[in-house]
Amino acid sequence: MTVVAIDGPGGSGKSTVARELARRLGVERLDTGAMYRAVALRALRTGTPVGDEKALTGVAREMVLELGDPVLLDGEDVSDAIRGDDVEAVVSTVAAHPAVREVLVSRQRDWIAAHGSCVVEGRDIGTVVAPGADLKVYLTADPSERARRRAEDERAVASRGRGGERGDPAVVRRSIGRRDALDRGRAASPLAVAPGAVVVDSTGRSVEEVVEELWGLL
Ligand code: DC
């Protein structure tokens, strides 16, 4: 059984690298960010205040989530909706609640136990969710490259008619800077390099190069 934990800030290339590494290993990938985004989306849709930790915990516990491609929330394809501006604006607040994290971490551990070998990506996988992972990676990239990648992702969502006026690198850079500060500065499981994690900088490197490096570490 091989569990790979990949953590890092937004735009570091985590999702692409995790997807490609999982494909090469022939295992499933778990995008834990999508779970926090799904809680945020369900809260917005049900009018649950994002400051109400207790109510959000109920949302996290009750949602039926299938994290394949597409992502299904209560049976509906929310792959683009969880990347929308409204979710982007509140997801860090949702993810800062310890009780919400507790519910999602427990669901993530169940998923890992059910899948055996897998690649799991997020912010606290090596530190909290799976500290015993066979390989722990902290993926990073310089801020302008991260903003450029996020802007590209946003333009892809916008081209499908969901994203509005998004995809401007300067605006994205401010928004990921704000999100990073919230993710790193929060009291509950802040984004941090896990003990024993390998720090990999993806700046100026292709997905294949980074995946090759991780492959060599397994
Ligand atoms: O990776 P992402 O942008 O989809 O993550 C969305 C938000 O969820 C972001 O604010 C960080 C948070 N998150 C977290 O706190 N813990 C995780 N394991 C994954 C994501």
Side-chain angles (χ1 to χ4, degrees):
M1 189 175 113
T2 306
V3 175
V4 180
I6 304 184
D7 291 303
S12 59
K14 271 190 327 267
S15 290
T16 322
V17 166
R19 194 177 294 118
E20 182 55 22
L21 184 65
R23 197 190 59 77
R24 267 181 77 161
L25 283 166
V27 303
E28 298 266 342
R29 167 190 77 118
L30 177 62
D31 173 5
T32 60
M35 299 175 75
Y36 290 93
R37 288 171 179 273
V39 175
L41 180 65
R42 202 176 193 256
L44 291 170
R45 286 181 170 180
T46 54
T48 309
V50 291
D52 187 340
E53 181 167 17
K54 194 161 183 288
L56 283 180
T57 307
V59 169
R61 201 171 280 127
E62 285 153 24
M63 67 179 180
V64 179
L65 196 57
E66 284 172 60
L67 289 165
D69 189 10
V71 175
L72 299 178
L73 173 62
D74 302 319
E76 179 196 340
D77 179 351
V78 294
S79 312
D80 284 342
I82 59 169
R83 315 261 158 219
D85 281 338
D86 45 355
V87 168
E88 201 72 41
V90 300
V91 66
S92 291
T93 307
V94 169
H97 293 301
V100 173
R101 304 197 67 85
E102 210 176 290
V103 173
L104 294 190
V105 167
S106 149
R107 290 183 70 157
Q108 290 154 16
R109 289 187 177 141
D110 289 348
W111 188 96
I112 295 169
H115 286 76
S117 295
C118 54
V119 177
V120 187
E121 59 158 297
R123 301 289 190 292
D124 61 341
I125 311 306
T127 50
V128 176
V129 177
D134 301 272
L135 174 62
K136 291 183 273 187
V137 179
Y138 186 89
L139 196 61
T140 182
D142 78 30
S144 50
E145 177 137 342
R146 289 168 44 212
R148 190 182 55 71
R149 290 178 184 157
R150 268 280 148 118
E152 261 171 33
D153 292 348
E154 290 190 358
R155 281 197 295 274
V157 174
S159 72
R160 294 193 292 271
R162 307 283 179 85
E165 296 293 312
R166 305 176 70 201
D168 174 345
V171 175
V172 176
R173 188 164 174 166
R174 279 195 295 280
S175 122
I176 62 175
R178 187 185 65 86
R179 273 251 312 267
D180 280 0
L182 289 168
D183 293 340
R184 287 203 178 95
R186 68 179 177 224
S189 313
L191 170 65
V193 181
V198 184
V199 179
V200 175
D201 190 333
S202 69
T203 309
R205 300 170 71 198
S206 69
V207 175
E208 292 72 31
E209 276 168 39
V210 175
V211 169
E212 195 59 38
E213 178 177 349
L214 303 192
W215 189 259
L217 293 167
L218 277 167

